Amino acid sequence: VEEVIQRYRGEPAALITLLIEVSRITGGLSEPALNEIGSRLGLSGTDLKATALAHRLWYSTEPPPLGLCVNTPCAARGGAEVERILREKGVAFESLRCPGSCDLGPIACFRHGSPQAISAARARSLAKAELADWEDLLSVEKPVHAFRTNTRVAFANIFAKGSHQLATARRHGVWTSAAQALERGPEAVVTAVAESGLSDEDGEGGVGRLWSSVRERGEAGYLVANGARGEPGTFQDRLLLERDPHLVLAGLVVAASATGVHEAFVCVRAEHELAAERIRGAVDEATRAGLLGERVLGRPFALKVRVRLISKAYLAGETTGLLETLEGRPPTPRPSSQARTLLGRPVLVHDLETLALVTAIANSGPGWYRSQGVNGGAGVKLVSLSGDLKRPGGYEVPQGSMLRDLLELLGGGPAQGKSLTAIQIGGALGPLVPASMLDTPLNREELEKLGVTANSGALVAITEKSCLYDIARREVAFFARESCGTCEACRLASQYLEAVEQWGAGIGAQAHIEEIVARLRASTACSLGRRAPAAVESLMRHFPTAAAEHAAGACACSPRRKPRPS
Ligand code: SF4
Ligand code: FES
């Protein structure tokens, strides 16, 4: 612990990383430990406790040792059944935010350790076993990554042996490409990126436009690579960090030199231990080789890259919640009117996918990049296929690909002869889209017509195995669990959940739900609140009988069949 405190004392944006690392060593943070850390760092123990609580690093009452992911991608893939078994057998568990391993789901974690696949059979064994054997039981099922790619830009190298190592990255020309991009000069790079139409998940007018305005204002500060997005069903970031961390770093170098930034943070979710280990290893290797540091690639340009661990609170991966996290506070989203700064300086925050694409765009040009798309789409997109599919995984696909092709050709279609009833697009807060509407191309304009306002790249397949009412209820529960509760919108969350549960119990509450949704929309301050109504609204629109069927006992999770999960 002493060593961890010494390592991070005085380091920028390191408080949450320090707390996570101490918590790992001590098997969880206690109140005396937080008071001690506070006094060592000159911070108030009360503030530190509030921060640790908001980041789920400290609990006022100890949670059960077993954590279960209760989000849609896992639930649709058998997690709902696992959950029912554990409840029936009286095994207590903590409901987890998606640990980002949805391709391996359903997922459980033992004492906040790494995500492990769990099955109905394994859940039954756990219920019979002693607590001391749980860890072994959970880690028996070794995860199998099942990702494939179609086009090859950001995922070009991920199949190579040792793809995370510098020697392999060099063999694939990753760092030579970064050097070529630097050779072209910042203006040419910014122009290429602007003309390519590349845009982050939340859009905001495109990456190139942001870079030009930073250059015009001459206000370089920090660059943050956000590998901490917590949208259930979104795991491409994990794959990039585990499989090709040098590509992300090369993209950081290109972005930093184009915008004149000299300090960057790569943020990685603490649960993704392999991803964290590999990006840290890549930063060390690249720094030792002179690719980062005082003279990047031997040029008079300095870039210091630091890796930061981010907690499992959903809002900690939301752009402004992430900035608050890096500043060592609870991950409360900032009002949109507030300037985007980090530690008092301007900051650019980018998805890892964006960073993994910029080097190729800078070198091969916007025309080439746009031509990678099909059906009017421009460029490529990383998608995470999850839910009840034969081949869930991360895929790189042309923008404009038909949704049906992605699910059926790449994802292999529904597992075990089931048929698709709906897909959820864009993560937990995306709408439920009927399978009949899958002949739609994957691009922003077309997805907006389906009610998708932010596309994290998550596509969750739901078959008749799942109760659609239960899926929508899970989204509302997710919203209630993850909101920070500082504005009116989320103070409505528990009312919203209660009304949705009454609806599923056959007590007509539809008008009440609509009234809450209208109030929620009018008062939300961040994307979590803004997107919270989508699942229930889409259920009402496209599956109007789902709640009544659930109430009448048509599904295994119906209150008529069993006590309702709390
Ligand atoms: S909408 Fe909810 S999560 Fe977002 S800032 Fe307000 S209270 Fe927090
Ligand atoms: S790991 Fe369960 S939803 Fe992502």
Side-chain angles (χ1 to χ4, degrees), residues 315 332-333 479 482-487 489-491 524-529:
L315 288 171
T332 311
F479 165 61
E482 296 296 338
S483 72
C484 66
T486 52
C487 61
C490 291
R491 286 197 283 273
T524 183
C526 79
S527 66
L528 180 62

Side-chain angles (χ1 to χ4, degrees), residues 367-385:
W368 165 83
Y369 178 71
R370 296 181 75 86
S371 73
Q372 303 298 303
V374 295
N375 300 322
V380 297
K381 175 86 194 139
L382 297 185
V383 295
S384 296
L385 302 187

